[in-house]
Amino acid sequence: MILRTTNYKNVYSALHYGFVPVSIDSNPPTEFQGKVFPDLAPDPFLAKGYSNGTISQELFWELYNKKLDRIDNITSLVSTLSNITGSKKICLVSLGKPGKFSHRKLLAEWLAKKGYFNKEMSVYHGASAKKKDVQQDNQVFSAHLF
C-alpha cells in the first residue's frame, strides 16, 4: 500500500501517476469528482472553531489526534481505503496548501507513527494530466470507524 497526501489543486497530477484520490473532507469542493471518505475529516465543531479562531492549532491537533486514536484497527482502515478505491496507490486529498497546517498534514503524521509512511504529493514536473483526460466517480463511503 502506498499512501500519499495532496490538495485538490494536485489531484490530476496524482491521477497521472496512478494514484486514486480520496477526499478526506466532509464537504469537498463541488468540482472534485473522486471518492469521498469523510470519516477522516475533523468534526464540524473543530473545523469551524479553528477557522474562526476560537480553537488554536495546538487544541485542534490534540482533539483531532484523539479522534484518530479512537480508530481501533489501523490495518482495517487501510484495508477499507484499498477496498473502496480498488487500488494499492491512494492519495488522501483535502483543502490547504502543501506544508501548511491542515488536518491532512496531521493525518499524515499520525499514519507515519502507525507505520504507514506517507508523503505529501506536490505538482510533479512533466505531469500532463488535465481534467478532460481523467474520469472519476463521486461516491461517499463510510467505514463507521468511530
Coordinates of all heavy atoms in Angstrom, one line a residue, residues 41 43 48 65 68 70 72 74 106 110 120 122 136 143:
A41 N -12.4 13.3 8.3 CA -12.5 14.7 8.4 C -12.6 15.1 9.8 O -13.1 14.3 10.7 CB -13.7 15.2 7.6
D43 N -14.2 16.8 13.1 CA -15.6 17.1 13.5 C -15.9 18.5 13.1 O -15.1 19.4 13.2 CB -15.8 16.8 14.9 CG -15.6 15.3 15.3 OD1 -15.9 14.5 14.4 OD2 -15.1 15.0 16.4
K48 N -14.8 24.4 12.4 CA -15.4 25.7 12.5 C -14.6 26.6 13.5 O -14.3 27.7 13.3 CB -16.9 25.7 12.8 CG -17.5 27.0 12.8 CD -19.0 26.9 13.0 CE -19.6 28.3 12.9 NZ -21.1 28.3 13.0
N65 N -6.3 14.4 17.0 CA -5.4 13.2 17.3 C -6.2 12.3 18.2 O -6.2 11.0 17.9 CB -4.1 13.6 18.0 CG -3.1 12.5 17.9 OD1 -2.9 11.9 16.9 ND2 -2.5 12.3 19.1
L68 N -8.5 10.4 15.9 CA -7.8 9.3 15.2 C -7.4 8.2 16.1 O -7.5 7.0 15.6 CB -6.5 9.9 14.5 CG -6.8 11.0 13.4 CD1 -5.5 11.5 12.9 CD2 -7.6 10.4 12.3
R70 N -9.0 6.9 18.3 CA -10.2 6.0 18.5 C -10.3 5.0 17.5 O -11.2 4.0 17.6 CB -11.5 6.9 18.6 CG -11.6 7.7 19.9 CD -13.0 8.2 20.2 NE -13.6 8.8 19.1 CZ -13.7 10.1 18.8 NH1 -13.2 11.0 19.6 NH2 -14.4 10.5 17.7
D72 N -9.7 1.8 16.2 CA -9.1 0.6 16.8 C -8.1 -0.2 16.0 O -7.2 -0.8 16.5 CB -10.3 -0.4 17.2 CG -11.2 0.2 18.2 OD1 -10.8 0.9 19.1 OD2 -12.4 -0.2 18.2
I74 N -5.8 0.1 12.7 CA -5.2 0.8 11.5 C -5.2 0.0 10.3 O -5.4 0.5 9.2 CB -3.8 1.4 11.9 CG1 -3.3 2.3 10.7 CG2 -2.8 0.3 12.1 CD1 -4.0 3.6 10.6
L106 N -1.8 16.6 9.6 CA -1.9 15.9 10.9 C -2.2 14.4 10.7 O -1.6 13.5 11.4 CB -2.9 16.5 11.8 CG -2.7 18.0 12.1 CD1 -3.9 18.5 12.9 CD2 -1.4 18.2 12.8
W110 N 0.1 11.1 11.8 CA -0.5 10.0 12.6 C -0.3 8.7 11.9 O 0.1 7.7 12.5 CB -2.0 10.3 12.8 CG -2.7 9.4 13.7 CD1 -2.7 9.3 15.0 CD2 -3.5 8.3 13.2 NE1 -3.4 8.3 15.4 CE2 -3.9 7.6 14.3 CE3 -3.8 7.8 11.9 CZ2 -4.7 6.5 14.3 CZ3 -4.6 6.7 11.9 CH2 -5.1 6.0 13.0
E120 N 3.7 13.9 1.2 CA 2.9 14.9 0.5 C 3.3 15.0 -1.0 O 4.4 15.1 -1.3 CB 3.1 16.3 1.2 CG 2.3 17.4 0.5 CD 0.8 17.5 0.9 OE1 0.4 16.8 1.9 OE2 0.1 18.2 0.3
S122 N 3.2 16.9 -4.4 CA 3.0 18.2 -5.0 C 3.0 18.0 -6.5 O 3.1 17.0 -7.0 CB 4.1 19.2 -4.5 OG 5.4 18.7 -4.9
Q136 N -13.5 10.2 -13.1 CA -13.6 9.8 -11.7 C -15.1 9.7 -11.4 O -15.9 10.2 -12.0 CB -13.0 10.8 -10.8 CG -11.6 11.1 -11.1 CD -11.1 12.3 -10.2 OE1 -11.0 12.1 -9.0 NE2 -10.9 13.4 -10.7
A143 N -16.7 3.9 6.9 CA -16.4 2.6 7.4 C -16.9 2.5 8.9 O -16.6 1.5 9.5 CB -14.8 2.4 7.4

